[in-house]
Amino acid sequence: MTDVKNLEDLFQAKIDAEQKIEPKDWMPDAYRKNLVRQISQHAHSEVVGMLPEGNWITRAPSLKRKAILLAKVQDEAGHGLYLYSAVETMGTSREQTIDDLLSGKAKYSSIFNYPTLTWADIGAIGWLVDGAAIMNQVMLCRTSYGPYARAMVRICKEESFHQRQGYEIMGVLAKGSPEQKEMAQDALNRWWWPSLMMFGPTDANSPHSAQSMKWKIKRQSNDELRQIFIDRTVQQAEVIGLTIPDPDLKWNEATQHFDWGTIDWTEFNNVVAGNGPCNKERLAARNKAHNDGAWVRQAAVAYAAKKAGKKQAA
Amino acid sequence: MSQSLFTYTLRLADDLLILSQRLGEWCGHGPVLEEDIALTNRALDHLGEARNLLTYAGQVEGKGRSEDDLAYLRMERQFTNVKLVEQPNGDYAHTIVRSFLFDAYHLPLMQALTKSNDEQLAAIAGKSVKEATYHLRHSSEWLIRFGDGTEESHQRAQAALDDLWTCTGELFETDAVLEEMTKAGIAPDIATIKEAWSRTVDQVLSEATLKRPADAFMMTGGRKGLHSEYMGFILAEMQHVTRAYPGVEW
């Protein structure tokens, strides 16, 4: 018991001294469990997030937009790969991690349970969803677990390009025809509140937050990050002439932040519980891809085994 | 001359645009994450080359049509791609075989086009050769894995090959346009491309333990805008947003 206590003290001292924890270092079980949960959720979000965006690749309204969207979704798949690898450094195999997604045991960001109904939704996802994700991800570049922090440095570079291209789509639509502007405003109306929900429950209701802050997995609270996002995005909306769908939004001189309305936490809890507009479709699509691809993966394994056998025989 | 160059360039472009469109359908649904990346990457490469070719075709035509005008505002009778590339994705064996049969043609074509008398086509081909090389490597490696993998993968690969084989004749068809382009030193001799294609096919199928289908009936019509029924749906999906809001910027 004393030994574990000592190890925990050493571990915490290392974190307090801003040293990274590496895969072979001793770490408390709860730290490992917490990170496996968080990184795998993050990986699943990248992969499930390909679905609402992939939905528009074949319908992008210009070839340039199609090319940008293809590149972006390809990046998301790449992020999924780095993150599954980061989970593997903690001793959980990619197969196990993916099985947990497919069975519905593991979560992914609830935002991807909303549908992409018009082209402007691709702009809104880049601007708002990637914009909100970046707030978390920039913080995670300094997270205490080395492989996760390093993956995030690469991911952040690409995400900031994603955010800019989304904002640019919205800007072009907002100064386009009346129909295009309406499309952009409608997308903002639908994606605004779900984007704010991406930061998670309020600090008072966030079960994992305090411990995560102590371990420096997280460095800023959900509410802090949400406020930074709101302050920044309200100004961006103004620049392109779109209106944030919140009647309570008001600049507060005293706090130097925007005051804003209330998140519908019933909706949030519903979507997390599996009752969002697209939860069933998203999981069904991932399961179908996995099942349809089973023979492909088996063929690759069988062929590799044959090759290895031939090499040994030779 | 410029009409034939326009038609020839458009054919090159349409093959790539429609193949890219088909591959884009896979996004998020691939058999393994690495293949999702490979497929979107291929779709992006094909699209990039198609865009260069469409832009050039528009310049050759001289009527002020942009890459988007040519992609989004033509109807299926005006598309000149081969039927091979418009075939549905099917299972992963169909997708891989479709790409393999195309890649084995596309790489030697691009290599030869780098020596074209048309500087613009030569430059576009020069950019494509590197991509076309790894496309062929990718589709060949998978076809070999399927052929020499499990019994199921072997059967699926052979079935896809038998299905799609009748679409390969079109790749090597000649007509007045191609003859004129070849005579002018713009297009390479298609018979030479066919030889290179045939060698690659034999070599890969042999390693994959798959049987080369007999050259019996071959589909035709794509180059003249006579497509399969799939084509209208491909274009409906690709073009509907652009056509619903004419003349705006995106």
Side-chain angles (χ1 to χ4, degrees):
Chain A
M1 203 63 205
T2 334
D3 285 353
V4 173
K5 181 78 184 76
N6 282 343
L7 285 169
E8 274 186 11
D9 288 345
L10 280 172
F11 172 82
Q12 189 62 48
K14 212 167 164 186
I15 284 178
D16 293 343
E18 297 292 334
Q19 286 171 13
K20 293 284 178 239
I21 305 301
E22 296 299 335
K24 286 182 177 163
D25 295 348
W26 185 89
M27 61 187 85
D29 283 347
Y31 177 85
R32 186 187 301 274
K33 220 175 125 189
N34 193 329
L35 268 172
V36 166
R37 180 186 56 83
Q38 182 174 336
I39 305 173
S40 61
Q41 275 184 19
H42 191 165
H44 299 326
S45 302
E46 299 282 356
V47 172
V48 176
M50 293 168 71
L51 295 170
E53 294 191 277
N55 185 34
W56 279 90
I57 284 176
T58 54
R59 296 179 290 164
S62 75
L63 296 184
K64 180 183 137 191
R65 292 292 177 203
K66 193 193 286 285
I68 294 172
L69 185 57
L70 271 167
K72 176 180 191 295
V73 183
Q74 192 188 355
D75 286 348
E76 313 291 7
H79 299 173
L81 272 186
Y82 308 153
L83 291 167
Y84 284 128
S85 303
V87 178
E88 288 194 313
T89 65
M90 307 213 81
T92 306
S93 74
R94 186 165 138 193
E95 288 71 22
Q96 180 58 49
T97 308
I98 290 176
D99 282 348
D100 287 347
L101 169 70
L102 298 176
S103 70
K105 187 178 154 202
K107 300 279 180 230
Y108 53 87
S109 180
S110 276
I111 194 81
F112 299 118
N113 290 317
Y114 290 86
T116 46
L117 301 177
T118 72
W119 169 250
D121 290 24
I122 297 304
I125 287 188
W127 177 31
L128 303 173
V129 174
D130 292 330
I134 288 170
M135 298 286 153
N136 256 306
Q137 290 167 346
V138 166
M139 168 186 77
L140 289 172
C141 292
R142 296 189 302 125
T143 196
S144 56
Y145 187 57
Y148 194 24
R150 289 189 288 272
M152 291 318 304
V153 171
R154 278 183 76 170
I155 289 175
C156 276
K157 281 184 194 153
E158 293 176 345
E159 289 294 349
S160 68
F161 146 73
H162 297 171
Q163 199 264 349
R164 278 204 303 278
Q165 66 86 35
Y167 185 54
E168 201 230 332
I169 289 176
M170 293 300 259
V172 169
L173 293 175
K175 66 174 199 288
S177 70
E179 291 89 347
Q180 284 177 303
K181 182 162 186 185
E182 193 187 327
M183 197 191 283
Q185 183 63 53
D186 171 60
L188 172 56
N189 294 349
R190 285 182 289 110
W191 289 92
W192 175 251
W193 291 104
S195 299
L196 297 189
M197 294 176 198
M198 283 177 69
F199 295 93
T202 56
D203 295 348
N205 292 317
S206 182
H208 303 292
S209 277
Q211 185 61 71
S212 287
M213 298 278 264
K214 189 175 172 224
W215 280 332
K216 295 189 180 173
I217 294 174
K218 285 173 78 153
R219 290 166 172 267
Q220 283 163 295
S221 77
N222 295 355
D223 288 334
E224 279 169 13
L225 290 170
R226 188 161 23 230
Q227 187 66 51
I228 301 172
F229 173 74
I230 291 170
D231 290 345
R232 197 172 293 181
T233 312
V234 169
Q235 289 167 18
Q236 291 171 349
E238 259 173 38
V239 170
I240 57 174
L242 295 178
T243 310
I244 302 283
D246 179 354
D248 298 325
L249 197 71
K250 213 175 74 196
W251 179 250
N252 183 327
E253 267 304 323
T255 60
Q256 289 290 300
H257 291 293
F258 281 93
D259 292 336
W260 51 283
T262 316
I263 289 175
D264 179 355
W265 292 111
T266 313
E267 176 181 327
F268 175 80
N269 290 326
N270 251 320
V271 181
V272 172
N275 300 317
C278 297
N279 295 57
K280 286 197 177 70
E281 288 91 331
R282 299 295 182 239
L283 215 49
R286 287 313 314 158
N287 272 291
K288 185 175 188 311
H290 188 77
N291 296 337
D292 289 354
W295 71 268
V296 175
R297 297 188 300 274
Q298 284 157 9
V301 171
Y303 178 75
K306 274 189 202 179
K307 276 273 137 179
K310 272 179 200 162
K311 237 183 219 162
Q312 247 176 14
Chain B
M1 170 75 181
S2 73
Q3 179 59 39
S4 292
L5 180 58
F6 170 69
T7 305
Y8 181 67
T9 308
L10 205 55
R11 288 173 180 178
L12 296 171
D14 285 348
D15 283 350
L16 292 156
L17 179 64
I18 300 304
L19 185 55
S20 166
Q21 182 72 8
R22 278 299 195 204
L23 291 172
E25 292 171 18
W26 268 107
C27 184
H29 308 282
V32 56
L33 202 46
E34 282 83 351
E35 283 306 285
D36 249 314
I37 296 175
L39 291 173
T40 39
N41 191 48
R42 293 182 68 118
L44 189 56
D45 289 346
H46 294 330
L47 180 60
E49 195 184 324
R51 290 179 66 192
N52 289 333
L53 289 164
L54 286 172
T55 300
Y56 181 50
Q59 286 163 5
V60 170
E61 189 191 34
K63 291 181 185 165
R65 286 206 276 182
S66 67
E67 57 172 17
D68 285 336
D69 293 336
L70 287 167
Y72 289 95
L73 301 178
R74 280 183 296 151
M75 298 298 286
E76 56 260 53
R77 289 286 279 113
Q78 284 132 20
F79 272 80
T80 58
N81 55 281
V82 289
K83 286 179 179 172
L84 176 68
V85 295
E86 71 201 44
Q87 297 306 304
N89 286 338
D91 64 5
Y92 208 55
H94 272 80
T95 291
I96 288 294
V97 168
R98 184 185 60 198
S99 274
F100 169 71
L101 294 172
F102 182 79
D103 298 341
Y105 149 85
H106 188 230
L107 176 60
L109 178 65
M110 287 299 117
Q111 284 167 333
L113 260 182
T114 58
K115 296 178 202 104
S116 171
N117 285 340
D118 186 286
E119 279 178 24
Q120 193 61 35
L121 284 183
I124 294 172
K127 270 184 76 175
S128 298
V129 166
K130 198 172 136 199
E131 293 168 359
T133 305
Y134 69 69
H135 295 161
L136 178 60
R137 194 169 68 219
H138 173 255
S139 56
S140 301
E141 283 175 358
W142 273 107
L143 192 53
I144 292 166
R145 277 185 206 116
F146 289 165
D148 197 18
T150 63
E151 202 182 315
E152 180 182 2
S153 69
H154 180 91
Q155 279 170 8
R156 284 176 183 266
Q158 188 65 55
L161 202 56
D162 294 345
D163 261 3
L164 292 169
W165 193 254
T166 56
C167 293
T168 56
E170 270 193 303
L171 295 168
F172 310 106
E173 280 176 359
T174 54
D175 65 357
V177 170
L178 188 60
E179 277 164 23
E180 187 186 339
M181 289 294 99
T182 310
K183 206 175 278 175
I186 292 173
D189 174 25
I190 198 71
T192 320
I193 306 299
K194 188 173 182 177
E195 281 167 28
W197 176 84
S198 202
R199 271 197 307 276
T200 307
V201 167
D202 283 339
Q203 192 189 327
V204 171
L205 292 191
S206 147
E207 198 174 339
T209 70
L210 292 165
K211 220 174 116 224
R212 179 175 172 141
D215 285 332
F217 169 77
M218 286 291 173
M219 295 274 191
T220 183
R223 297 289 186 219
K224 295 192 193 96
L226 294 165
H227 295 280
S228 63
E229 288 183 345
Y230 302 121
M231 192 65 186
F233 289 95
I234 293 175
L235 297 185
E237 187 173 346
M238 185 170 90
Q239 298 178 339
H240 87 275
V241 178
T242 317
R243 285 181 181 271
Y245 303 93
V248 302
E249 280 196 32
W250 296 99

